[in-house]
Amino acid sequence: MKKFLSLGICALLLMLALSACGSGNNNPQPAADTPAAPANGAGNAGANEPAASDEPVTISFMHFKSDVTDGVAKIVEQFESENPNIKVDVQPVKYDDYYTLLKTKMAGGDIIDVFTLNSGAQTKLFADGGYLEDLTGKDFLSNFDDSVLKAQATDGKNYIMPVNAGPIAVYYNKKIFSDLGIEIPRTYDALMAAAQKIKDSGKTPFALGWKDLWTLNMWIGRDLPSNTVLVGNIPDFFDKIETGAAKFADNPAIKTTLAHAMQLYQYGNKDQLGVDYNGSVDLFAKGEAAMLYSGTWPLADIQKKNPDLYNSGMGVFPYPFSNDESLNKLEFNPDASLAVNSKSEHKEAALKFLAFMASKEGGDAWVKNINSLSYVKGSSTDIAPAINDLKPYFDNGETYDSQGYMARTTIDWLTPLGQDMQNLFFGKETEDQVIKNIDDWIAKNHK
């Protein structure tokens, strides 16, 4: 992992490691009429913050966290209770459709005041288009570690404010593993051996919701860069894809990822391409599938649907993408970041919304309602009991961010690759055809 990314999450990982030593709910929320004082002055108007206004205003907030719509709504309600003159029109959108819709709205002059972005390629596209307000130097950014801000900067400027991050790993059913005598797999072959043992017992190894393309792409976008950079030792591959100087056909990792995908498909639930994300979470929560590859997003849903599984019946381990155990560290990625539209007519209110999200109160609200880590300094890290399994990886610094390997790549090669991979599952294309198709697509779209 790149040095600046490692430093960027250092403080956050330390907080998680310390909190993992304790137990119980250490995330008390202040009453609505007694809001907590924001840390480091966040949420208060500073020298370069907008002055308070008593005039009622409504701002639009479009986000791609549709899997936790209720949680986001609760955070917004908390903000509105403390800012009665600001109403927030919340517009959740499924991730698969999000960027297409956002770009369409922007191009059509439909002003969205605040919206979520992923750091890296998507942020650069919108920044280059002149749609992002420059947040560099805003007082509320002092609530984030400097290394995190540098890692999410675009051309040296902060156009987005980091909100949350979390591990991407494999959740597993402890009872199924125990009954079958399966140990935590530390290599890819061990993971497949465990899957075979589970399948032989008559149970479903993996809960897959690949009807939602983003769930498949989430996996591809980590298996492929991990095997490309860490196993294949091609650190500049995705930079070269951007300029047309490299082909997937010349990268051995693409065949590794395609083979892995076919194996996961074979060990998945029935109708993997007909089951969506929510369906896969249901399968795992009901104990019908032994493993679920995901971020922290499904935790709140699992807690609601099966408290016993959530409290003590599930664990989590890093996804072992290779057979070199030393490479199989814990994937730890930034998730949603917030941006303000440079063309917004309500920048004062929009910036106040970001200032709330940057406060300790806002960070704690995100952790409590979304079950994800917040980048805000000092915010709670009490997510779920299973996350304690990852404490050794945080303690020993055994984490990495595969998304950093693709940070400068603005070409969306994941979508066409995921679509072709679905054809591979149905036997409509061979591996060689999938590779040729993606290389042809890159040749037409490289910068």
Side-chain angles (χ1 to χ4, degrees):
M1 185 175 67
K2 295 181 180 179
K3 184 176 180 181
F4 67 87
L5 287 173
S6 176
L7 293 174
I9 61 174
C10 180
L12 186 60
L13 300 185
L14 179 59
M15 287 189 294
L16 181 67
L18 292 175
S19 70
C21 298
S23 61
N25 187 350
N26 297 315
N27 184 30
Q29 295 297 306
D33 58 345
T34 56
N40 294 331
N44 297 324
N48 59 359
E49 302 300 334
S53 173
D54 293 331
E55 184 176 347
V57 64
T58 297
I59 60 173
S60 53
F61 172 39
M62 185 169 153
H63 68 84
F64 53 60
K65 301 298 294 179
S66 61
D67 52 307
V68 285
T69 299
D70 291 345
V72 173
K74 290 177 181 178
I75 298 173
V76 170
E77 287 174 7
Q78 191 171 334
F79 167 77
E80 289 180 333
S81 70
E82 299 176 17
N83 298 272
N85 293 317
I86 303 176
K87 299 301 178 184
V88 183
D89 174 23
V90 185
Q91 303 174 19
V93 179
K94 288 184 65 173
Y95 191 86
D96 280 348
D97 304 321
Y98 182 79
Y99 282 110
T100 298
L101 181 58
L102 183 60
K103 291 170 185 176
T104 299
K105 284 180 174 289
M106 295 293 192
D110 186 353
I111 304 300
I112 303 296
D113 299 300
V114 179
F115 47 94
T116 52
L117 282 180
N118 294 114
S119 61
Q122 292 294 349
T123 296
K124 182 168 177 55
L125 282 174
F126 283 92
D128 289 349
Y131 294 109
L132 305 184
E133 182 76 4
D134 186 359
L135 305 177
T136 307
K138 295 295 184 184
D139 286 353
F140 54 73
L141 290 187
S142 65
N143 266 358
F144 301 95
D145 187 86
D146 286 341
S147 297
V148 174
L149 298 178
K150 290 179 181 177
Q152 294 205 357
T154 299
D155 298 329
K157 295 182 179 181
N158 289 115
Y159 293 103
I160 58 175
M161 187 189 82
V163 176
N164 73 316
I168 309 293
V170 182
Y171 295 96
Y172 72 99
N173 186 302
K174 288 183 177 180
K175 186 177 187 306
I176 294 177
F177 269 50
S178 177
D179 288 348
L180 297 177
I182 299 174
E183 296 184 355
I184 301 300
R186 307 295 183 187
T187 64
Y188 182 80
D189 283 350
L191 178 66
M192 292 301 104
Q196 185 64 55
K197 198 167 187 178
I198 294 167
K199 186 173 183 178
D200 290 344
S201 74
K203 298 182 182 297
T204 299
F206 294 100
L208 303 178
W210 288 354
K211 178 181 179 180
D212 285 334
L213 187 60
W214 73 264
T215 62
L216 173 58
N217 287 350
M218 175 184 68
W219 173 81
I220 299 172
R222 286 165 176 79
D223 187 275
L224 181 55
S226 297
N227 277 290
T228 295
V229 176
L230 299 178
V231 177
N233 194 29
I234 315 177
D236 58 351
F237 176 76
F238 295 100
D239 291 340
K240 289 182 176 179
I241 284 293
E242 181 80 358
T243 61
K247 293 183 177 181
F248 279 92
D250 299 326
N251 180 1
I254 185 63
K255 288 204 169 183
T256 298
T257 293
L258 292 177
H260 287 180
M262 287 299 297
Q263 288 177 306
L264 286 176
Y265 182 76
Q266 292 164 2
Y267 286 124
N269 46 278
K270 295 179 180 179
D271 194 24
Q272 297 96 319
L273 299 182
V275 175
D276 62 9
Y277 162 80
N278 290 322
S280 66
V281 175
D282 283 342
L283 288 171
F284 182 74
K286 292 176 181 177
E288 296 177 8
M291 292 179 280
L292 174 69
Y293 175 82
S294 186
T296 59
W297 322 296
L299 290 173
D301 207 17
I302 293 171
Q303 182 180 25
K304 183 189 305 180
K305 293 175 178 177
N306 192 338
D308 290 338
L309 179 68
Y310 174 86
N311 289 325
S312 60
M314 60 185 283
V316 60
F317 59 86
Y319 167 65
F321 61 87
S322 80
N323 283 321
D324 184 344
E325 186 174 339
S326 68
L327 297 179
N328 296 328
K329 299 179 181 181
L330 175 66
E331 178 88 17
F332 191 83
N333 296 151
D335 184 13
S337 296
L338 296 180
V340 172
N341 196 323
S342 61
K343 306 179 189 304
S344 171
E345 296 180 356
H346 309 296
K347 288 183 184 177
E348 176 185 323
L351 291 171
K352 199 165 188 178
F353 183 66
L354 262 65
F356 170 80
M357 290 294 196
S359 69
K360 182 180 184 302
E361 182 183 6
D364 286 348
W366 194 270
V367 172
K368 178 182 179 182
N369 293 293
I370 309 299
N371 278 49
S372 180
L373 293 175
S374 168
Y375 272 124
V376 177
K377 294 177 182 177
S379 58
S380 169
T381 54
D382 185 12
I383 300 179
I387 300 300
N388 289 333
D389 292 355
L390 303 178
K391 182 178 183 297
Y393 295 92
F394 291 119
D395 286 348
N396 299 323
E398 296 179 0
T399 65
Y400 80 109
D401 177 13
S402 68
Q403 306 307 282
Y405 306 145
M406 307 183 293
R408 291 180 295 276
T409 306
T410 60
I411 299 175
D412 179 19
W413 52 267
L414 258 179
T415 299
L417 179 57
Q419 292 169 339
D420 272 322
M421 201 172 287
Q422 290 178 330
N423 290 330
L424 177 67
F425 298 147
F426 285 125
K428 295 181 178 179
E429 293 182 11
T430 65
E431 288 188 358
D432 288 340
Q433 286 174 320
V434 170
I435 296 171
K436 181 180 185 304
N437 287 346
I438 191 62
D439 276 335
D440 288 346
W441 193 91
I442 291 292
K444 296 176 183 177
N445 292 277
H446 71 78
K447 302 299 182 181

